[in-house]
């Protein structure tokens, strides 16, 4: 069985029709605009439909750069408010890839993802650096906005500028950072929040942006200013309560944690870790690169639509160049600070 | 694996199969199915021999020569892993055998083995694109029995 392929000309026509649909939506409802920060690059988010705009932008880090420097745009609309339908897509069977990415596209030019529940769709033209994002109902978007709104588009736009969106928490000390990786539920956020409350430097609890530097090092930067915590995490870390911004939310929603005042703008990644919940806390356990990659592969690749090969190779390069650890986190989280300091101290440093 | 199957030329399902090597051991991902494998040392050697296009019989011969063990032993040892990779469509039929440098024994012979991870495959099977209601009003995806999307 081979994947269906869609030719570039067909995708160009589809992109034009998508842009035209957005234009009609923007004529129906005056668009709102926000500039968000993607690893130091401003990305313009323009939305036709006033209820959609805050939902897709409120968690994202704002750009301090001036609008005219924006080099990538996301154009978003929802049908419920604008009554404008997007065009019919040119792909069919056998199209679903990792994380709802659409397979079979000429990925050097176009990328797309689709979610059926809630109904959202994004297509990105890499040549023009513009993405069209569509949702049927803005009010039903909560699930698709968990963790990192617009993360497909942010990842695609970042890749073209040497940035990689990573499903990882990031904390550290003195400018040195540790990436906490693993599948959802592994304990990334809880470990990162515990480190933050202990006074460590904090970049992210779930998704972050990585940049490869000319000297071979990797810098980690934040993407969002609001983190998310489960009921269990809130019970374990009562110090988070004062930061909750969605009190009164439905029971199945995670607590949203305000982080803007504690976020560190950048850390140099010195080590990678995968937390494991242990009855007895212990020291960081070094892992062979291959073992580490296999432990985190699911949580990493299932988060990124499109260009899965690039994600895999980036993860391999990252893990191949840094010490990797399993971090046995004890039940009361009291050991987290020592555990992270321990991993960072075991890092082989290159003399300046 | 029967003797007939052993003479069918196989290769990796490129470009959907991608791989990286860590400390001499191959981790490969099948992007279409989401299945990934972590291979042991001899499994990795087997993979490098067959991934560009070779018959299991040829692979058994070169591995037996490199490791100094009988061809019968190698044939029996490699058959289960090759059968698994074929079943998962990681290996697919090839037109012709490729010219691959002979392997270097990197330790004593042991049966090639791989840890198989299907968690991502399970995620991909949760395929909402093809599970929409028959009366789905709007956009966009063809369902079984029709290639027409229905628009409101």
């Amino acid at each position: 069985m081979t994947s269906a392929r869609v030719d570039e000309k067909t995708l160009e026509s589809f992109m034009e029709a998508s842009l035209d649909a957005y234009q009609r939506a923007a004529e129906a409802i005056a668009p709102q605009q926000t500039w968000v920060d993607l690893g130091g690059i401003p990305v313009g988010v323009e939305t036709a439909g006033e209820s959609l705009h805050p939902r897709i932008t409120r968690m994202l880090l704002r750009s301090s750069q001036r609008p005219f420097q924006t080099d990538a745009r996301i154009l978003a609309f929802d049908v419920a408010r604008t009554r404008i339908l997007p065009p019919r897509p040119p792909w069919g069977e056998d199209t679903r890839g990792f994380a709802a990415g659409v397979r079979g596209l000429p990925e050097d030019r176009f990328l797309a993802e689709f979610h059926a529940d809630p109904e959202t769709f994004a297509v990105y033209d890499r040549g023009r650096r513009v993405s069209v994002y569509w949702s049927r109902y803005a009010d039903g978007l909560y699930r698709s906005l968990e963790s990192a709104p617009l993360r497909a588009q942010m990842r695609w736009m970042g890749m073209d500028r040497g940035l990689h969106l990573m499903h990882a928490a990031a904390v550290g000390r003195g400018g040195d950072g540790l990436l906490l990786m693993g599948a959802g539920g592994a304990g990334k956020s809880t470990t990162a929040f515990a480190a933050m409350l202990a006074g460590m430097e904090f970049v992210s609890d779930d998704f972050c942006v990585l940049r490869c530097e000319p000297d071979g090092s990797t810098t980690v930067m934040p993407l969002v200013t609001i983190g998310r915590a489960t009921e269990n995490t809130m019970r374990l870390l009562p110090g988070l309560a004062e930061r909750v911004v969605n009190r009164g939310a439905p029971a199945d929603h995670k607590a949203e944690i305000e982080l803007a005042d504690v976020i560190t703008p950048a850390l140099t990644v010195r080590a990678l870790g995968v937390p494991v919940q242990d009855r007895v806390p212990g020291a960081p356990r070094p892992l062979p690169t291959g073992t580490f990659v296999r432990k985190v592969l699911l949580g990493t690749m299932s988060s990124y639509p499109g260009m899965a090969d690039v994600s895999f190779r980036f993860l391999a390069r990252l893990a191949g160049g840094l010490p990797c650890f399993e971090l046995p986190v004890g039940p009361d989280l009291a050991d987290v600070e020592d555990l992270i300091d321990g991993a960072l101290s075991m890092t082989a440093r290159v003399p300046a | 694996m029967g003797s007939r199957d052993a003479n069918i030329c196989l290769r990796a399902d490129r470009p959907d199969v991608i791989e990286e090597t860590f400390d001499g051991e191959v981790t490969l991902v099948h992007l279409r199915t989401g299945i990934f494998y972590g291979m042991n040392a001899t499994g990795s050697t087997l993979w490098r021999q067959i991934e560009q296009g070779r018959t299991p019989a040829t692979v058994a011969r070169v591995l037996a020569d490199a490791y100094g063990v009988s061809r019968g032993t190698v044939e029996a040892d490699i058959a289960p892993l090759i059968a698994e990779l074929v079943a998962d469509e990681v290996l697919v039929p090839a037109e012709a055998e490729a010219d691959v440098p002979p392997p270097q024994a990197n330790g004593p012979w042991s049966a090639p083995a791989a840890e198989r991870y299907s968690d991502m495959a399970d995620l991909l099977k949760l395929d909402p694109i093809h599970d929409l209601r028959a009366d789905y009003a709007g956009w966009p995806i063809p369902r079984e029995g029709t290639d027409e999307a229905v628009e409101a």
Side-chain angles (χ1 to χ4, degrees), chain A residues 21 45 69 80 89 97 123 133 147 168 231 233 238 282-283 287 291 307 324 327:
Chain A
V45 181
Q69 292 174 297
V123 60
Y133 176 79
S147 305
E231 192 176 347
T233 299
L287 289 177
T291 305
M307 299 183 76
C324 303
L327 303 172

Side-chain angles (χ1 to χ4, degrees), chain A residues 198-286:
Chain A
M200 301 191 80
E201 289 164 337
F202 176 94
V203 172
S204 77
D205 72 304
D206 203 11
F207 277 86
C208 54
V209 181
L210 300 180
R211 183 177 65 213
C212 301
E213 305 295 353
D215 65 359
S217 66
T218 302
T219 300
V220 58
M221 295 166 284
L223 180 70
V224 300
T225 56
I226 294 176
R228 297 163 61 252
T230 64
E231 192 176 347
N232 189 46
T233 299
M234 295 302 296
R235 184 179 56 76
L236 289 167
L237 299 170
L240 290 177
E242 64 188 39
R243 293 181 169 275
V244 173
V245 294
N246 64 335
R247 289 186 178 85
D252 61 338
H253 287 206
K254 290 184 178 179
E256 295 184 349
I257 312 298
E258 177 59 56
L259 299 168
D261 61 316
V262 290
I263 281 177
T264 296
L267 294 172
T268 299
V269 182
R270 301 293 188 191
L272 310 180
V274 55
V276 291
Q277 292 156 42
D278 227 324
R279 287 183 183 174
V280 181
R285 295 192 280 260

